[in-house]
């Protein structure tokens, strides 16, 4: 998820039981131009594997070049974005618009599959417009072009995130292709995951928004249904803050993290004004202090968490040191 799936989020997802995690979408043009911030998305840690890195773009050759960089960075899978509905992306001919350009979409998949040895997956929406069934027309073609797996988020691009994901389309797609299909959209609980798996024949489910500030949702979907204590919540948030500051640098992390406070502290875990208070604080050190004051026992949970983390990142890419934001 763009603006969410930083390395700290992915590592946390793996710790809480996700079988595969995915990067934010990465611009193939940014990679091709050697844009330092874009290259930073290719920073991969040892405890993230298996990891997919998602790329977006509209030019087959540039996408192929980006895929090679992603493979060199150590990704286990290259995912191609044919689902992004955001205008900034679609106006460049990338993301969901490619669903209406099957020839170009297939040329992208073929070029990427040819360029790398790791498997290629495609993530798509149902189509551009409401009630579109375009994913069913294009899905088999993408497989023929080289996609080893398809992930379907069965909302239209126009829908953005409103309404419901129509997983009857996922079931239809499963019937049409002989590669594994992953179901994305509204997987928020074990019951929902089980019902989508049973009614669609999908091989796996993908969890998005439900895991934002709530890794315990992943544990619940894996069958362990325990609400976290306030200490656990505060400790996970502090760890997330520390890792994100290391990854993005203090300045970028400060703005980036604000939305996470509500996600972590909501759900009746902490009083409402508390989250507001955290977003007003000037430094991340102050946020940590406030969290520790509100849940003093978090200190011990945090120590345990940090002790259990693998020591040192496995950085596989030879990038300028500034990319690592001091980490
Ligand atoms: C903030 C946000 C960012 C997202 N960014 C991406 C992205 O970069 N690539 C992608 O394939 N899907 C992206 N998605 C879509 C999700 O992967 C997922 O398909 C969608 O949110 C439905 O699943 P959910 O109901 O579990 O959230 C994003 C969703 C959200 C909410």
């Amino acid at each position: 998820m763009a603006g969410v799936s930083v390395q700290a989020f992915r590592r946390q997802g793996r710790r809480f039981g996700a079988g595969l995690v995915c990067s934010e979408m990465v611009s193939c043009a940014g990679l091709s131009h050697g844009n330092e911030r874009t290259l930073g998305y290719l920073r991969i840690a040892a405890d993230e594997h298996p990891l997919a890195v998602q790329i977006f773009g509209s030019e087959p050759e540039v996408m192929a070049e980006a895929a090679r960089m992603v493979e060199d960075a150590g990704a286990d899978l290259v995912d191609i974005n044919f689902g992004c509905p955001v205008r900034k992306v679609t106006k460049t001919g990338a993301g969901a618009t490619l669903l209406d350009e099957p020839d170009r979409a297939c040329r992208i998949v073929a070029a990427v599959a040819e360029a790398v040895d790791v498997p290629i997956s495609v993530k798509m929406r149902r189509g551009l417009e409401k009630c579109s069934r375009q994913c069913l027309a294009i899905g088999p073609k993408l497989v023929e072009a080289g996609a080893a797996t398809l992930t379907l988020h069965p909302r239209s691009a126009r829908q953005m995130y409103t309404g419901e994901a129509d997983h009857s389309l996922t079931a239809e797609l499963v019937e049409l292709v002989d590669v594994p299909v992953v179901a994305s959209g509204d997987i928020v609980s074990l019951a929902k995951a089980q019902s989508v798996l049973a009614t669609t024949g999908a091989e796996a489910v993908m969890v998005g928004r439900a895991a934002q500030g709530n890794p315990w949702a992943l544990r619940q979907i894996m069958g362990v249904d325990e609400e976290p204590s306030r200490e656990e919540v505060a400790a996970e948030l502090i760890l997330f803050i520390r890792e994100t500051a290391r990854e993005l640098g203090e300045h970028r992390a400060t703005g980036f993290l604000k939305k996470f406070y509500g996600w972590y502290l909501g759900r009746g875990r902490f009083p409402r004004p508390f989250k507001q208070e955290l977003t007003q604080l000037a430094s991340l050190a102050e946020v940590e202090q406030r969290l520790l004051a509100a849940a003093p026992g978090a200190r011990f949970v945090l120590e345990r968490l940090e002790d259990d983390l693998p020591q040192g990142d496995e950085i596989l890419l030879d990038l300028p040191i500034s990319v690592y934001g001091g980490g």
Side-chain angles (χ1 to χ4, degrees):
M1 286 181 285
V4 176
S5 306
V6 290
Q7 192 177 68
F9 185 80
R10 306 190 302 256
R11 295 173 92 179
Q12 181 185 61
R14 294 281 297 132
R15 268 194 294 122
F16 276 82
L20 173 69
V21 289
C22 188
S23 72
E24 302 179 70
M25 60 180 195
V26 184
S27 158
C28 74
L31 290 180
S32 166
H33 292 135
N35 178 302
E36 215 173 271
R37 191 180 278 201
T38 314
L39 289 170
Y41 289 117
L42 300 190
R43 182 179 194 253
I44 293 173
D47 54 347
E48 292 186 68
H49 298 286
L51 168 85
V53 170
Q54 186 185 69
I55 52 175
F56 72 94
S58 59
E59 294 299 329
E61 282 321 308
V62 187
M63 287 288 272
E65 184 194 347
R68 275 189 289 269
M69 293 174 78
V70 163
E71 182 180 49
D72 287 347
D76 303 289
L77 199 141
V78 178
D79 189 57
I80 301 177
N81 182 315
F82 291 162
C84 183
V86 176
R87 173 112 186 97
K88 198 171 122 195
V89 170
T90 55
K91 75 173 186 209
T92 67
T97 37
L98 284 159
L99 295 172
D100 268 3
E101 287 215 49
D103 290 344
R104 180 177 284 268
C106 287
R107 279 191 285 122
I108 289 174
V109 171
V112 169
E114 172 72 26
V116 295
D117 291 329
V118 294
I120 304 306
S121 59
V122 171
K123 169 101 178 330
M124 58 181 174
R125 288 203 173 220
R126 65 181 297 163
L128 291 181
E129 298 301 329
K130 193 166 163 250
C131 299
S132 169
R133 294 169 59 79
Q134 181 63 6
C135 60
L136 302 179
I138 198 173
K141 293 181 184 161
L142 299 174
V143 171
E144 215 173 291
T149 159
L150 300 175
T151 302
L152 179 63
H153 174 207
R155 281 186 174 87
S156 67
R158 187 174 286 274
Q159 251 184 301
M160 300 293 280
Y161 297 97
T162 62
E164 267 179 48
D166 179 0
H167 283 296
S168 69
L169 279 171
T170 314
E172 288 191 63
L173 184 64
V174 168
E175 287 300 315
L176 288 175
V177 295
D178 56 7
V179 297
V181 171
V182 180
S184 167
D186 306 339
I187 309 295
V188 295
S189 64
L190 175 60
K192 181 73 182 188
Q194 284 172 332
S195 100
V196 168
L197 288 172
T199 56
T200 63
E203 289 284 331
V205 289
M206 177 180 279
V207 181
R209 289 166 296 172
Q212 290 172 339
N214 195 24
W216 298 276
L218 298 173
R219 204 167 65 179
Q220 195 266 339
I221 290 167
M222 299 302 289
V224 182
D225 199 359
E226 277 168 30
E227 278 299 311
S229 64
R230 283 172 65 142
E231 285 69 26
E232 275 179 275
V233 172
E236 278 298 335
L237 176 51
I238 293 173
L239 181 63
F240 191 75
I241 290 170
R242 288 183 182 179
E243 283 201 51
T244 306
R246 207 162 53 86
E247 184 181 349
L248 304 182
E250 170 100 11
H251 179 70
R252 253 175 91 197
T254 303
F256 172 88
L257 283 164
K258 286 194 171 156
K259 56 187 181 282
F260 282 87
Y261 301 150
W263 289 339
Y264 272 93
L265 306 175
R267 302 177 170 86
R269 290 171 181 160
F270 284 81
R272 229 169 235 259
F274 184 52
K275 140 192 138 185
Q276 214 45 43
E277 197 186 315
L278 293 192
T279 60
Q280 312 292 327
L281 295 172
S283 73
L284 296 178
E286 286 170 89
V287 174
E288 264 197 34
Q289 277 165 16
R290 284 295 295 117
L291 284 165
L292 288 172
R299 190 179 303 279
F300 306 108
V301 183
L302 182 62
E303 264 170 32
R304 258 202 324 275
L305 284 174
E306 290 196 316
D307 280 350
D308 287 348
L309 286 180
Q311 292 306 303
D313 283 347
E314 177 194 337
I315 296 164
L316 297 166
L317 200 68
D318 187 18
L319 291 174
I321 197 69
S322 54
V323 162
Y324 300 129

